[in-house]
Amino acid sequence: MSTKGGVTALTRRNYRLASDVDKPRSTGIVNEKLLSDYLHHVFPSTKQGPTVASLRKPLGFQDLGSHLEKLLAEGEAPEALRDPFAEGRLGPQPVVLDHTSGFEGLLFVDDDLLGVIGHSNFSSIRATTCVFKGKWAYEVLISSQGLMQIGWCTLSCRFNQEEGVGDTPDSYAYDGNRVRKWNVTTTNYGKSWAAGDIVSCLIDLDEGTITFCLNGQSLGTAFGGIKTGPGVAYFPAISLSFKESVAFNFGSRPLRYPADGYLPLQDPPTADLLKAHRLLGCIKNVLSTSIDAQDEKLLEKDSAAWRLHGEPTVLIALAHIFNHFAPLMCKVYLVEDVLMNFLLGILEGGGSVDEHPLIQQLLDLFWLLMEDHEVNECLKQLMMSLLRAYRFSPIIPDLGFQIHYLRLTTAILRHEKSRKYLLNNVLFDVLRSVVFFYIKTPLRVKEAGLEELIPTTWWPTHFDKECELDLLVLQGKDEREPKDESSDERLRRRAYERGCQRLKKRIEVVEDLQVQILKLLLNNKDKTTGEASRYIFLNKFRKFLQENASNRGHPTALCPPEYMVCFLHRLITAVRSSWDEGSRKFPSSLSSEDAYVPPQLFYNGKVDYFDLQRLGGLLSHLKKTLKDDLASKANIVIDPAEIQAASMDDLDEDEESGAAQRPFGAAAMGGALARPSWLSSPTLGRANRFLSTAAVSLMTPRRPLSQPEKVKVRTLAVEQRTEEDIEGSHGNDGLLLGRPQEEPDQPIADKSLLEIVDGIVMMYNLSVHQQLGKMVVVADEVHEYAVALKDTEEKIARCPARRADILEELHKSQKVFAEKLNHLSRRLAWINATIYSKEKMLDVYWLLCVCIRTIEHADNTASLFAFTPEFYLNVAMNAYSALKNYFSPANSMDELPGYEETLTQLAAILAKHFADPRIVGTDIKDSLMQALASYVCYPQSLRAVERIPEEQRVAMMRNLLAPYEQRPWAQTNWILVRLWRGCGFGYRYTRLPHLLKTKPEDANLPSLQRDLSIASFQKPCPSLLLQRHMAELLSLDKDMAASFLNSVLNQLNWAFSEFIGMIQEIQQAAERPERNFVDTRQLKVCATCFDLSVSLLRVLEMTVSLVPEIFLDWTRPSAELLLRRLAQLLNQVLNRVTAEKNLFDRVVNLRLPGLESVDHYPILVAVTGILVRVLVDGDAQGTSRAASVLLSDPCFQLHSIQHLLGEPGDSSGSSAACRPAAAAPLAPAAAGSSSERKHFSLHAYADYISLEEKQKVEDMLEFLTEESKQAAASTAPTSEEDLCPICYAHSISAVFRPCSHKSCKACINQHLMNNKDCFFCKATITGVEDYSKPPPS
């Protein structure tokens, strides 16, 4: 009876074969001579020669056991083989990392004591065994390419958090991150390493040298004349920084790159190897021999055609073999060296995996003749070896190594029983099987063979003056084939494209194999041996997502994002294939093109979303507040005990967050830190040992994955679910329990596929999008080097021949740039093929469509929409951003199927939900606003906004015009500005005139912010339709118009005041002799306040242009007040910006980095646009009122208007002076000011301001000059007693009721918009009446 487990003292299986002499052919029983010949053929003795074969002793089953024992003992001399290995070496066997005393700092060490992760600044650890004589080697598998120093050290070396291996006299190290060698001092050495490389560390103590190899290629002797002699012995050692990780191979597995003459530190199992190879030879003999019982002879046959038919003779022979072979196959060294190579040899003939059924037959044999615990351990070690080999194989042009290992993995997983065991116990629990779906990007292009695949390189050489400042043409959004491209350039580009296609085809072979593996794991028909593979995979996949969603900030638990990207694409391909296969069988179900996730998954508790945020807030809160809606709409009744449990769960979270602040001993961490380690051992997934030289660990515990039953809101844990729980049966809807009335009653797809699609969306949100953005950096580098190369070539062309020294340096630079571009263009080809190809773009687009349809269906459920996880909206926004910004221009978005309709659907979602009261999260609201702001910047997406139903457009504009207080008004203002840009005064520019030669710094911004930054440099695309909606709303709703403009004016007052205050501080800091710099953050905040001021002014210009009656029709409430406030703010801005030698001028002239956008042009033309609209473009009554209000403002100065046209004639010495216009003395301009700095003038911007606009400004100046003269002549002197006691600028014109205090109308009206209390006595004002001074008696 088979017994599972790791116990070795188990009785072996006994096979009794009933013989039936009457039917020898059917049973396979043969006569004694034929049996003896067969057994001698299968079990040949190495001592018998062919000449004595006829004289050998007959062999039967009763003698086979002793014969096999003698056979295995032949030539075995373990002592003689072991002695040479022991000489020159001290320490225990097996060799592992010294986790008891040989380390410094904080470290995670894997269960096998061979993988290690740094968890402090610079941690060090050495091995348990040292060498003092001879030539020795070990290998290090690089799992991350960061800062590490690998090599040898003596026992006397003392390391700390700053000094590691190579920093002390008797330690020697190689650092592939910085490409240097270390022994107290450091020099250049070797090549840069990358994740997936193998470093061999060789020490020759007879010659006193240390050498390092990278992927089997020697880097040369690193150190010579090292210290040797009595008392000196060297340990393998490593120092590594935070989150860096490696795995050691001291000889527990065959060295990948053995060096001639060098021995591994750990003895290979020589005797077992000899036995295993002999037994494997016996198995091969069985496979290649058949018994012809009729003719009583043995036949040679092709072993590939062998089948397990149950012949007793063959089975008994195999049982004797496996009696010895099975225990050996539990050892990792023998599995990797013997079994894996044998199985790989079976597949070497090529062809599809289906053409090699022998592997399936062998796996059947394993399960038949081996104990369960033996076959389990054998399969685990085999998969570990395959994954290790796949991950650490070098990239070659045909990707032959990767294909070879994936083919064998596929063949093994085709075996149903093996697949289910591996799924249940290995692929996600022990192995990091996601590695099988990763295709690593080579850093060293030459070694990867890309020079052979892509012999000709190409990069853009023509740059549009404006587009040059955006993203690289290779990565841009609007690439067109250069019109002035030469014939040579065209040939180069086409040759490069052909090379890229060759590379892509080879990568696709690997991707197809990876998809085949996933299709096997998604098989839901293999139910003969228990639960189908798909449901096992689904539960493991959900747990994998949980670990990655719940462990942000814990580097040992997170799957690297580069793995996630590849896994996501393969999984999408496999899931869509399974989905469409099902839809072909059931035509009424949806195809994968129309896939979505039904909303009931979000609230029926069948799918666990861990602690991920919902749109409506916490799940426990939603279950309390929406329990009635759940009951009425979805027939789901929430158990009160479940609500209570959820509430207790929230309390537990609070307690744990507090407990996380309290450190605890490292000894207690064994169980708490049992989590998948994605950065350490190449295959093992657990870093259970935490090593710390400190008394207290710095790690904080995370919430355990399995919650106590009382706090679970789901009935079953993920790993406990069965097929019936997921798919449902006999009236049970499974995952789709609780269908709302709004949801159509039609089959969608297998419910298990719905949950996997849900997991794919979550996976994209966790890390895939972030990784897609990171890989764009390579395209940015190509752009930068291409620009630098072109600039250098232009300098060479201009350089005079007599300056040979300069010419030589320029040629050197040209060579460096060209070499770098050759390297980067080939690397970019690889990245485009693996990450940014057309197929990958379609995957992301499909994901975008899934999210859009899911959100639309969830939105139809009214209040239940609040249960939708936030990540669906995030993925919809980010996927669109990725399609627009990251994917190659060769893959135009316009070519995507149904793209226009998808754009419109996304526009409707953004327009509706950015102000949706069902969404409570501040971050998601802010993201929606940013996405909408980016959306309206591009003509195509803006047209999509205009295509949504009119009711939704009007509702969107109404939400945008809501008062700015207590909401993210900056983004709202940005949206309104973009709708106006292209219509305003001098507002047709793409970039500001003084910024044309600078580059926007947006590479490191988050996705949506980076998108917004890029969007700000798009060509203007105003929306007249949305402007019309805005005008209608403001015109018809007088209260909303007044509150909106009041909030805009308040924000403008705040933003400009903050800006002025900050530039005062900057000016003072810049003038201090002891401080020569200004805080960068302060500069950014200052520039932001300036940009906000300009955008608010543009919104005012938009409003006054579209609905001038808001300010000029004084029959409307608050119109006069709004006009007076507007005039006041405009005068303040003009005075601050236009005064001679003022603060604004001085700060602009400093040209500080970070204040590039601060200049005269943007703010002055915005102010000018408002003034022109109210003073020139309006009717006579309106312009008269506007001029009267403007001139009556005490801060008005005519020279500020003159300044716009560069007329210095009349100038005031102080822009801050606030005197009545008629009384302000006008002094001539300061002599020499024009020589110090050229006056600002609209005439200087002929490319930005039309002649018509200039003429309007001149008309406005002429009009104001005449009006100011008339005002000065008609103004009678006013006594101080008659002036408003608040502003001292206007006469008293209003009296308050009931307190009878007085002020001017402007002051009291402005005050009452925000406060109802009297200025003076704080009484509540009930009314305001006109006041006129009584005539003197």
Side-chain angles (χ1 to χ4, degrees), residues 1191-1197 1217-1225 1275 1283 1288-1289:
L1191 294 174
S1192 66
D1193 186 82
C1195 292
F1196 174 76
Q1197 298 185 34
C1218 290
R1219 294 180 294 271
T1275 301
L1283 290 176
Y1288 284 94

Side-chain angles (χ1 to χ4, degrees), residues 422-535:
L422 292 169
L423 257 177
N424 264 315
N425 303 284
V426 177
L427 291 182
F428 285 90
D429 297 276
V430 178
L431 290 186
R432 300 174 306 163
S433 56
V434 176
V435 174
F436 276 125
F437 310 108
Y438 174 54
I439 302 178
K440 62 184 177 183
T441 303
L443 287 180
R444 296 177 301 278
V445 170
K446 187 174 183 180
E447 292 175 22
L450 293 187
E451 290 182 353
E452 303 169 28
L453 276 176
I454 310 174
T456 305
T457 58
W458 173 85
W459 52 86
T461 55
H462 300 276
F463 305 99
D464 184 273
K465 286 299 180 186
E466 227 170 68
C467 294
E468 175 182 334
L469 305 170
D470 289 343
L471 295 178
L472 169 64
V473 176
L474 283 173
Q475 191 60 36
K477 278 66 65 183
D478 192 25
E479 187 201 19
R480 294 168 294 276
E481 189 168 311
K483 295 178 182 178
D484 52 352
E485 185 180 43
S486 67
S487 58
D488 288 344
E489 289 174 339
R490 188 178 301 108
L491 289 174
R492 275 184 58 211
R493 177 172 57 79
R494 290 175 179 172
Y496 174 74
E497 290 171 353
R498 287 194 297 272
C500 292
Q501 285 301 314
R502 287 194 294 270
L503 173 64
K504 184 181 175 186
K505 286 180 181 177
R506 301 196 177 184
I507 288 174
E508 284 174 350
V509 175
V510 177
E511 292 177 346
D512 289 344
L513 284 168
Q514 293 170 331
V515 171
Q516 282 184 40
I517 291 174
L518 277 172
K519 285 181 179 178
L520 290 170
L521 301 184
L522 292 177
N523 186 348
N524 67 337
K525 302 294 188 292
D526 53 348
K527 303 175 184 178
T528 55
T529 56
E531 190 176 16
S533 298
R534 180 185 295 177
Y535 305 105

Side-chain angles (χ1 to χ4, degrees), residues 659-888:
Q661 309 294 327
R662 299 189 293 271
F664 53 95
M669 298 190 62
L673 291 170
R675 59 174 73 111
S677 168
W678 284 93
L679 297 174
S680 60
S681 164
T683 51
L684 283 177
R686 300 288 172 186
N688 287 345
R689 298 174 188 266
F690 183 70
L691 308 183
S692 172
T693 48
V696 175
S697 165
L698 299 181
M699 284 292 292
T700 55
R702 66 177 176 84
R703 193 171 183 175
L705 296 181
S706 56
Q707 300 298 327
E709 193 64 31
K710 69 182 182 67
V711 300
K712 295 296 283 186
V713 294
R714 294 167 56 254
T715 310
L716 291 173
V718 170
E719 56 272 15
Q720 294 176 320
R721 296 186 305 173
T722 64
E723 178 182 350
E724 187 173 341
D725 295 321
I726 295 168
E727 299 292 355
S729 63
H730 307 298
N732 171 19
D733 287 336
L735 293 183
L736 298 187
L737 175 72
R739 181 180 63 85
Q741 295 177 353
E742 298 83 1
E743 185 67 13
D745 184 13
Q746 71 172 77
I748 302 173
D750 289 344
K751 300 177 180 67
S752 51
L753 292 178
L754 295 176
E755 185 174 344
I756 295 175
V757 170
D758 175 78
I760 291 172
V761 178
M762 187 191 300
M763 191 162 58
Y764 185 92
N765 183 64
L766 288 176
S767 59
V768 171
H769 181 74
Q770 181 184 12
Q771 182 65 17
L772 289 177
K774 283 183 180 178
M775 299 309 291
V776 181
V777 172
V778 178
D780 292 339
E781 288 181 4
V782 172
H783 171 65
E784 290 172 5
Y785 279 103
V787 172
L789 179 62
K790 185 177 181 182
D791 184 55
T792 304
E793 290 171 345
E794 291 174 353
K795 289 178 180 177
I796 290 173
R798 295 196 305 267
C799 183
R802 65 178 184 276
R803 296 305 305 268
D805 54 337
I806 295 178
L807 206 56
E808 182 182 0
E809 290 300 320
L810 287 173
H811 281 299
K812 285 181 181 178
S813 299
Q814 182 187 28
K815 183 180 178 182
V816 169
F817 293 148
E819 288 177 353
K820 190 70 175 177
L821 279 166
N822 283 328
H823 169 85
L824 287 174
S825 62
R826 291 187 174 103
R827 188 156 177 252
L828 185 62
W830 182 284
I831 291 172
N832 283 339
T834 55
I835 298 177
Y836 297 122
S837 68
K838 176 74 172 180
E839 293 73 20
K840 310 300 183 298
M841 186 180 193
L842 287 170
D843 285 346
V844 175
Y845 179 64
W846 177 79
L847 207 56
L848 168 64
C849 295
V850 167
C851 289
I852 288 175
R853 284 189 288 268
T854 300
I855 293 165
E856 288 176 343
H857 280 263
D859 182 37
N860 292 336
T861 62
S863 59
L864 298 185
F865 178 65
F867 283 95
T868 308
E870 277 188 359
F871 64 76
Y872 273 90
L873 275 174
N874 277 325
V875 171
M877 294 182 286
N878 286 332
Y880 169 71
S881 173
L883 291 170
K884 182 159 54 63
N885 295 322
Y886 299 154
F887 283 86
S888 173

Side-chain angles (χ1 to χ4, degrees), residues 889-958:
N891 305 320
S892 171
M893 293 178 71
D894 297 333
E895 298 173 5
L896 295 171
Y899 177 60
E900 291 288 335
E901 182 184 354
T902 302
L903 267 184
T904 307
Q905 290 174 311
L906 182 58
I909 287 173
L910 296 176
K912 179 173 184 178
H913 296 301
F914 82 91
D916 192 336
R918 296 172 295 180
I919 300 176
V920 300
T922 305
D923 290 342
I924 189 68
K925 281 185 172 182
D926 196 44
S927 296
L928 285 164
M929 187 70 79
Q930 287 188 32
L932 183 60
S934 171
Y935 220 71
V936 299
C937 292
Y938 298 90
Q940 196 173 24
S941 50
L942 179 59
R943 300 291 90 83
V945 175
E946 293 178 341
R947 286 196 299 271
I948 66 177
E950 182 176 356
E951 182 182 352
Q952 293 184 22
R953 291 198 307 267
V954 173
M956 178 189 77
M957 293 307 299
R958 184 180 296 278

Side-chain angles (χ1 to χ4, degrees), residues 13-73:
R13 285 176 173 157
N14 295 317
Y15 298 93
R16 299 179 186 175
L17 300 175
S19 62
D20 185 350
V21 293
D22 297 330
K23 299 179 181 179
R25 292 187 183 180
S26 63
T27 60
I29 296 298
V30 296
N31 62 44
E32 289 184 3
K33 181 180 181 304
L34 186 57
L35 175 62
S36 177
D37 290 344
Y38 177 74
L39 294 179
H40 276 295
H41 178 75
V42 172
F43 303 98
S45 173
T46 57
K47 293 182 179 180
Q48 287 182 326
T51 56
V52 295
S54 59
L55 304 176
R56 64 193 173 195
K57 181 180 176 181
L59 183 61
F61 285 131
Q62 64 273 19
D63 305 317
L64 183 56
S66 58
H67 175 78
L68 188 53
E69 293 281 358
K70 291 178 184 177
L71 181 64
L72 295 177

Side-chain angles (χ1 to χ4, degrees), residues 1062-1079 1082-1083 1143 1146-1153 1155:
M1062 286 186 177
I1063 63 173
Q1064 287 174 345
E1065 294 177 11
I1066 291 170
Q1067 174 65 18
Q1068 292 168 4
E1071 290 176 349
R1072 290 184 201 138
E1074 72 278 4
R1075 184 182 179 190
N1076 296 320
F1077 66 91
V1078 183
D1079 180 50
Q1082 186 180 12
L1083 293 174
L1143 181 65
R1146 292 199 295 272
V1147 171
V1148 168
N1149 290 336
L1150 290 174
R1151 295 298 174 193
L1152 296 173
L1155 292 185

